[in-house]
Amino acid sequence: MVPSLRKAFNGQFSKEKYQQFLNCLQQDLKEEIAFRVAETPVFFPQDFKEKLIKAGDDILKTLLAPNFKELTDRAIPTKWKVANETKHPHFIALDFAVCKDEQGEIVPKLIELQGFPSLFGFQSFLADCYQNSFDFPKDLSIYFSGLNKESYIELLKRTIIGPNKPEEVVLMDVDAHHQKTFVDFFITQKLIGIPIVALEDLKQEGKKLYYISGGQKTYIKRIYNRLIFDEIDTDPKIFDKVVDIRQDLDVEWITHPEWFYRISKFTMPFLQGKFIPQTWFLNELPSIPTDLENYVLKPLFSFAGQGVIIDVKEADIKAITDPENWILQQKVKYEPIVQAPDGGVKCEVRILYLWPEEDVKPTLAINLTRLSRGKMIGVRYNQDFDWVGGTVSFFG
């Protein structure tokens, strides 16, 4: 994307430097990071950064509209409705494929979106390790909105902790210490000082929640929620064993679990803009396109790419018995813009917003980037390749 930076980086790359970089990431960790981290960051020019910002602004017009909750009420499964929904999400993640348009320009195209936190701690640390392990200009930044590392961490604290004491805010997930994203939990704990508490370790006293640490009972005022209900959906008796977090409790959600469903694939048909592929709810499809090879079929209520049909046939559409729970989306063609030593690699950029409770609107803060050679972005599709995996983009 920035040819001079790419040439210089590839020229200095070695397996020894990559190992030095991995050692930087692994410092203080007892176990290896549970996902692959790519050999390289991505270098984008300022004009592509501006396109990402414009694409995000177009999407926010819908997400911040007064009727957005009304539009998305159907997105929330009845069994996963949770009391005390917040007035707005505290995190927004927008995933863009890096593509070429008809004029040959590199542009972002929306793939998916989430009202859920991502690797907000890890990405900042990841950038530091790239900069410490490889030689490239130090004035390049992974941040947006005029943020630097210090102001970014302050924004992160203001979003997650707010006016509370760090020990009163818990980072919560099911089996939290054994999640693939635990490295992010650990780094977040180091950055802002909040404890990591598993769902199964929450205790209830009336409407209050608390946890025990070192024999001390601490009441919880906020939950930094990292729990995705899909991960406990296979156990119908889960809330016979742990606190039923769906009930009316004296706790603030950062962010409330229902935003995971509201801002999701479900939102795609409502969006408009030059960086957004045409998408329909399957039950509202005017007619089956004759060029189905240019579309992808996605179930609304699935996680991590499960159930997606890439090579769509008319029979696939006709076989679906609940078309209101599926979307047909124009296929996006990734451009292999990152030059590895042995060829081009596809790229996806996730831009991440933070929205403190008291702010009027979200702040575009940081990015997460993934590289792929497989048919889809994601670990399971890239297990046998190098120069793929999680990374971060630096902007000139």
Side-chain angles (χ1 to χ4, degrees):
M1 286 297 300
V2 182
S4 59
L5 291 174
R6 174 52 55 204
K7 183 178 180 181
F9 184 93
N10 288 16
Q12 67 170 300
F13 181 83
S14 67
K15 290 183 178 179
E16 290 74 24
K17 279 195 172 185
Y18 180 52
Q19 188 57 55
Q20 176 186 339
F21 161 70
L22 294 177
N23 292 342
C24 175
L25 291 178
Q26 288 292 151
Q27 61 187 280
D28 300 328
L29 296 180
K30 295 178 181 178
E31 298 181 9
E32 284 193 14
I33 295 171
F35 51 88
R36 194 177 197 285
V37 183
E39 283 81 347
T40 180
V42 181
F43 304 109
F44 283 112
Q46 187 66 27
D47 69 326
F48 186 77
K49 182 178 183 179
E50 291 169 1
K51 290 173 185 174
L52 285 170
I53 294 168
K54 173 64 168 65
D57 288 345
D58 287 346
I59 293 164
L60 289 181
K61 289 175 185 176
T62 298
L63 304 189
L64 274 57
N67 66 337
F68 183 71
K69 280 194 174 183
E70 181 183 347
L71 283 176
T72 56
D73 275 342
R74 188 175 70 82
I76 306 164
T78 302
K79 69 176 177 178
W80 297 132
K81 286 187 177 290
V82 177
N84 303 318
E85 185 180 3
T86 52
K87 62 184 178 182
H88 64 68
H90 301 89
F91 313 98
I92 299 171
L94 307 178
D95 289 351
F96 293 94
V98 181
C99 309
K100 265 189 182 177
D101 65 11
E102 295 79 5
Q103 288 73 44
E105 289 192 13
I106 299 299
V107 295
K109 284 286 187 178
L110 184 67
I111 298 297
E112 287 191 358
L113 61 169
Q114 297 175 315
F116 192 77
S118 191
L119 306 184
F120 281 97
F122 181 70
Q123 289 306 112
S124 180
F125 178 60
L126 176 64
D128 288 346
C129 284
Y130 276 123
Q131 289 184 311
N132 292 337
S133 305
F134 297 97
D135 182 23
F136 56 89
K138 304 306 179 190
D139 59 347
L140 302 178
S141 178
I142 66 168
Y143 302 102
F144 296 86
S145 305
L147 296 171
N148 57 27
K149 183 175 180 179
E150 291 71 28
S151 57
Y152 169 73
I153 292 171
E154 282 306 309
L155 179 61
L156 193 65
K157 287 180 179 178
R158 196 157 60 85
T159 304
I160 296 173
I161 300 174
N164 306 290
K165 297 175 182 177
E167 63 269 22
E168 297 172 332
V169 182
V170 299
L171 188 160
M172 188 275 292
D173 199 349
V174 61
D175 197 18
H177 291 84
H178 299 97
Q179 287 286 339
K180 284 187 176 182
T181 51
F182 180 73
V183 61
D184 179 68
F185 299 179
F186 175 75
I187 292 168
T188 300
Q189 183 180 47
K190 287 182 68 176
L191 286 176
I192 66 175
I194 63 175
I196 301 165
V197 177
L199 171 65
E200 49 271 27
D201 293 328
L202 294 177
K203 311 292 182 185
Q204 185 173 357
E205 184 180 281
K207 292 177 67 174
K208 294 182 179 293
L209 295 181
Y210 66 92
Y211 65 97
I212 303 291
S213 179
Q216 177 89 22
K217 177 195 286 189
T218 303
Y219 289 102
I220 299 167
K221 291 189 176 179
R222 278 187 173 185
I223 294 175
Y224 174 32
N225 181 45
R226 300 299 294 265
L227 171 69
I228 294 174
F229 283 132
D230 294 51
E231 295 185 3
I232 60 175
D233 194 37
T234 55
D235 186 354
K237 297 185 178 179
I238 182 70
F239 291 126
D240 294 338
K241 309 169 199 172
V242 301
V243 172
D244 188 345
I245 54 175
R246 300 170 297 180
Q247 63 187 300
D248 182 10
L249 297 165
D250 288 339
V251 68
E252 288 182 280
W253 289 97
I254 308 294
T255 195
H256 194 278
E258 290 183 3
W259 287 105
F260 175 78
Y261 296 103
R262 290 190 185 279
I263 300 177
S264 65
K265 292 189 289 291
F266 189 92
T267 319
M268 291 287 294
F270 301 114
L271 302 176
Q272 293 183 341
K274 64 183 291 188
F275 302 117
I276 298 164
Q278 183 71 58
T279 307
W280 297 270
F281 291 113
L282 201 55
N283 64 319
E284 297 178 0
L285 185 66
S287 61
I288 296 177
T290 56
D291 58 337
L292 280 175
E293 69 275 9
N294 293 320
Y295 292 84
V296 60
L297 193 57
K298 296 181 178 181
L300 289 175
F301 305 110
S302 71
F303 180 56
Q306 297 175 43
V308 173
I309 301 174
I310 298 176
D311 300 314
V312 186
K313 306 289 189 296
E314 187 171 336
D316 296 322
I317 294 176
K318 291 183 175 179
I320 289 172
T321 57
D322 57 339
E324 70 279 5
N325 294 326
W326 290 74
I327 56 172
L328 187 70
Q329 181 179 318
Q330 276 186 326
K331 196 175 283 185
V332 168
K333 184 180 180 182
Y334 290 75
E335 184 69 19
I337 55 104
V338 176
Q339 290 302 311
D342 60 347
V345 180
K346 295 178 288 188
C347 179
E348 186 171 292
V349 181
R350 174 179 293 175
I351 58 174
L352 298 168
Y353 296 76
L354 290 166
W355 195 348
E357 187 67 21
E358 68 278 9
D359 284 10
V360 175
K361 61 180 182 178
T363 297
L364 178 54
I366 198 170
N367 79 88
L368 180 156
T369 302
R370 293 188 291 179
L371 300 180
S372 172
R373 299 180 192 245
K375 199 167 188 178
M376 290 177 66
I377 299 282
V379 174
R380 73 185 69 183
Y381 307 103
N382 287 276
Q383 293 178 352
D384 301 323
F385 302 114
D386 60 6
W387 285 64
V388 298
T391 183
V392 67
S393 291
F394 287 88
F395 299 96

